[in-house]
Amino acid sequence: MAAASTTGASSSSALSNSLTLDPAIRTWVLVPISLAMFLIGVIRHHASRLLATGPRKVELKAVRESQAVMRASRLRMNHAWISREASFRMRRAFFNDKKEGVLQQKVKNNNPQAQMMSDPSMMQDMMMKNMSMIIPQSLTFMWVSFFFSGFVMAKAPFPLTQKFRVMLQRGIDISGSLDVTYVSSLSWYFMNMFGMRGLFTLTLGEGNAIDDTALMQQQMEQAGAGMDKANAFVMERENLELIEARDGMVYEKAEERAAKVLKRALRAR
Amino acid sequence: MAPPAKALFSRNSNGSDTDDKEFLIPEHMQNNARVVHWIRQYVSIVAGCVAGVLGLTNVVGFLVYPLFQLLAILIILSKTNSNVDKYFMSTANAAFGGFFDGAMTYLLFWTFVYDIAHLF
């Protein structure tokens, strides 16, 4: 375990291309760091699941409003599949009717910032999420930099330019004579941190706690959905009004399509 | 591990004719995208391990990754009966989306396995 990290470091730079590393470094540094980082990721995922509070309480009215927008947009997308006269007009009246239409109702716009202020559980939730992110990460960083600082422990199997020296040989002082492709323990930590995301999506499933980008996106979407309902109501209303003039139903061309399909089936035989 | 592409669902389009009205099922499309992502990451890891064990370096090593991604495209093609349009919104996205995400995974596993097998 007490292996000298670089046996060939004191020799001339000509030798630095073929550095001999102690196999103990592989068994006790390279593999453990990667393994530990993976396992910590798994623990973090499950811990954040435990810490997560259940779905946030939302007002009934707010849910109704956002569902109405969703239903209206679904009608807009798939309107061609239902009968124009009866089905579509009736559904549109349900949304757009001057007096009783769902999308004609007044909506109260509440912006997410004010919501956050009034609801402390939301703040707490976000705090928890951030904490479960930062604490294990900084702990791992401390662990690596405390026990393994100064180890040359990996070598990139491809050539790199001198620019990468700062990135890959963090924490080694013999730089200059050492080939750039050699990687220090601290840099290996960073490489693992970025490269393991794919592994985590495989093992923990999509949208796991490790995947920060997905989390951010989700939060953005949530905020966006709650943001401007009055505007969304007006938009959907207008979109529904526009539909009729523009295009007809799919089934108006049903015979043509049936003929086409049957012809193809005949030809195939 | 079950064969991932088993989870591919057809999007209920009206046959293969080029009518502009299609009936999309968002759940299925999401699932398909997830499966493709899964295949891509899996292939990247396998490619990294292969390149590492064989001890490939430099350009040869970099060639392995696109080769394996080509394999992934072939898998997708065979699972969709060469009818990729039916399963995805955009064919290009199904074929090449997440290429660089996979590259990160590939680099890590290549380096890791190469070091374990050949460096010490």
Side-chain angles (χ1 to χ4, degrees):
Chain A
M1 177 66 205
S5 55
T6 53
T7 29
S10 54
S11 58
S12 66
S13 59
L15 265 175
S16 65
N17 252 341
S18 53
L19 213 59
T20 314
L21 299 180
D22 194 324
I25 293 179
R26 169 182 56 193
T27 349
W28 295 106
V29 184
L30 179 70
V31 176
I33 286 180
S34 297
L35 198 69
M37 286 194 67
F38 175 68
L39 290 179
I40 283 170
V42 173
I43 290 173
R44 210 167 82 191
H45 172 70
H46 288 292
S48 70
R49 269 206 176 164
L50 282 178
L51 289 174
T53 47
R56 213 176 299 123
K57 282 217 173 68
V58 210
E59 272 178 76
L60 178 63
K61 195 164 174 290
V63 176
R64 267 194 195 140
E65 282 160 3
S66 55
Q67 297 277 340
V69 173
M70 270 171 63
R71 284 180 67 185
S73 70
R74 219 176 298 155
L75 176 63
R76 167 169 52 84
M77 274 194 309
N78 296 325
H79 67 91
W81 294 90
I82 53 177
S83 139
R84 180 82 8 184
E85 284 305 317
S87 305
F88 178 70
R89 293 239 171 91
M90 203 154 71
R91 280 174 174 78
R92 189 172 59 184
F94 172 74
F95 291 117
N96 281 14
D97 188 65
K98 280 271 151 39
K99 261 182 282 174
E100 289 178 350
V102 173
L103 293 184
Q104 298 277 12
Q105 308 300 321
K106 282 234 158 51
V107 272
K108 183 180 73 191
N109 251 342
N110 40 3
N111 60 344
Q113 235 112 45
Q115 211 176 0
M116 207 190 300
M117 284 303 168
S118 64
D119 187 5
S121 74
M122 209 160 150
M123 290 272 263
Q124 200 187 353
D125 214 38
M126 255 158 81
M127 279 273 275
M128 280 301 218
K129 256 177 203 149
N130 281 338
M131 288 306 243
S132 68
M133 221 72 189
I134 293 163
I135 289 177
Q137 219 157 65
S138 55
L139 276 181
T140 334
F141 183 78
M142 271 163 62
W143 173 65
V144 170
S145 59
F146 185 78
F147 284 103
F148 305 122
S149 63
F151 278 79
V152 174
M153 47 170 286
K155 184 177 189 291
F158 41 87
L160 291 163
T161 57
Q162 290 293 324
K163 290 263 169 64
F164 283 92
R165 192 180 289 286
V166 194
M167 198 176 101
L168 290 179
Q169 294 181 356
R170 207 180 287 232
I172 321 181
D173 294 329
I174 47 169
S175 40
S177 61
L178 192 62
D179 196 43
V180 203
T181 51
Y182 283 98
V183 180
S184 76
S185 56
L186 220 57
S187 302
W188 180 245
Y189 163 82
F190 284 112
M191 273 179 82
N192 269 287
M193 210 165 70
F194 295 121
M196 270 196 182
R197 196 193 287 162
L199 189 63
F200 281 130
T201 54
L202 285 191
T203 48
L204 304 177
E206 200 96 346
N208 56 54
I210 317 296
D211 209 345
D212 324 349
T213 48
L215 200 78
M216 293 280 213
Q217 220 165 18
Q218 215 172 27
Q219 276 172 353
M220 290 289 274
E221 270 164 21
Q222 272 172 6
M227 210 162 59
D228 207 353
K229 242 172 246 160
N231 215 344
F233 269 36
V234 176
M235 286 268 288
E236 285 301 335
R237 224 159 58 203
E238 284 170 357
N239 282 336
L240 284 180
E241 283 302 337
L242 281 176
I243 278 172
E244 189 146 35
R246 206 170 49 197
D247 42 17
M249 286 179 6
V250 164
Y251 295 132
E252 277 166 8
K253 284 190 280 179
E255 294 97 335
E256 264 174 58
R257 293 152 54 84
K260 221 192 281 179
V261 170
L262 289 174
K263 258 182 209 158
R264 201 184 303 134
L266 270 179
R267 222 177 297 140
R269 280 175 68 192
Chain B
M1 232 173 274
K6 271 270 169 65
L8 285 171
F9 284 108
S10 154
R11 126 188 151 192
N12 270 5
S13 72
N14 36 35
S16 53
D17 64 19
T18 50
D19 213 83
D20 55 357
K21 289 279 172 278
E22 282 170 326
F23 191 58
L24 302 179
I25 307 175
E27 288 84 17
H28 289 191
M29 311 220 55
Q30 256 168 30
N31 186 59
N32 289 349
R34 198 162 46 227
V35 170
V36 166
H37 182 81
W38 203 93
I39 293 174
R40 181 145 291 128
Q41 292 293 342
Y42 194 65
V43 161
S44 308
I45 289 178
V46 171
C49 290
V50 166
V53 168
L54 293 180
L56 304 177
T57 51
N58 303 345
V59 187
V60 189
F62 277 114
L63 281 180
V64 169
Y65 180 63
L67 240 150
F68 268 79
Q69 289 301 334
L70 209 68
L71 190 79
I73 292 174
L74 285 182
I75 291 174
I76 295 167
L77 269 180
S78 78
K79 277 293 171 190
T80 55
N81 291 325
S82 322
N83 211 345
V84 187
D85 265 352
K86 218 170 168 183
Y87 296 84
F88 304 103
M89 286 290 264
S90 91
T91 315
N93 205 18
F96 300 111
F99 189 84
F100 290 102
D101 283 348
M104 280 303 285
T105 313
Y106 171 73
L107 280 185
L108 181 74
F109 273 83
W110 183 20
T111 314
F112 186 60
V113 176
Y114 172 82
D115 288 347
I116 285 179
H118 295 278
L119 179 62
F120 295 96

